[in-house]
Amino acid sequence: MPAPFADAQARDAFLREPRLAILMMNRAAAAPIGVPVWFEWTGSEVLMFAAAGSPKVKRISKDPNVSVLVTNHINEAEAWVAFDGQVTVQEDGVAELIGRLGARYWDLSDPAKQAQLDSWVQAPGATVLLQLSPVRIRSGA
């Protein structure tokens, strides 16, 4: 089967599209757990955000080893990119990231969506930035 991406530029173009990612984390139970997240690929890091007290942040604080999987849309050729590594949790930069991702994933002309986004940004400490500097990037089709 041919590689889904001819080079890093093709992979990065795939990742610039507004796609959901699945953040897969370890947990105390036998099986890992995955949750959908908005993300931004900077070319060297995967950035995400979460509520500061959320179960995902609690899991990451216990075990920062994660995998983030991004897949094709239903009507696209099959392709995926996975990033493996350790996530760091930080407060700096989260408001800016929320603003960028909100504009990427939502139509902010909808007042309800804009209000939801504003509520996330205007609550200092309520959200945190999740930063993954991957040690391995995998892709396939």
Side-chain angles (χ1 to χ4, degrees):
M1 185 175 288
F5 307 109
D7 53 30
Q9 290 80 18
R11 180 199 64 210
D12 291 352
F14 175 85
L15 294 167
R16 277 192 296 275
E17 294 289 321
R19 304 171 186 280
L20 287 178
I22 304 299
L23 171 62
M24 292 171 283
M25 303 158 285
N26 295 313
R27 61 180 177 166
I33 187 168
V35 295
V37 293
W38 291 355
F39 76 97
E40 177 179 80
W41 170 242
T42 68
S44 61
E45 298 175 324
V46 179
L47 304 177
M48 303 157 283
F49 70 93
S54 68
K56 72 179 79 145
V57 172
K58 290 175 185 173
R59 284 185 196 100
I60 288 167
S61 69
K62 291 178 184 172
D63 183 350
N65 295 297
V66 303
S67 186
V68 174
L69 175 66
V70 182
T71 66
N72 58 287
H73 296 299
I74 296 296
N75 294 320
E76 279 184 312
E78 194 170 311
W80 57 269
V81 179
F83 302 93
D84 304 324
Q86 292 191 339
V87 169
T88 60
V89 178
Q90 50 197 330
E91 292 182 18
D92 292 340
V94 69
E96 295 82 6
L97 178 65
I98 291 171
R100 290 192 307 272
L101 291 179
R104 177 180 177 180
Y105 285 93
W106 279 350
D107 174 3
L108 294 179
S109 66
D110 179 336
K113 289 182 176 167
Q114 183 65 58
Q116 178 64 60
L117 193 72
D118 292 343
S119 74
W120 293 338
V121 170
Q122 295 169 1
T127 54
V128 292
L129 186 141
L130 306 176
Q131 180 180 6
L132 171 61
S133 297
V135 295
R136 186 170 154 204
I137 300 173
R138 301 174 285 125
S139 63

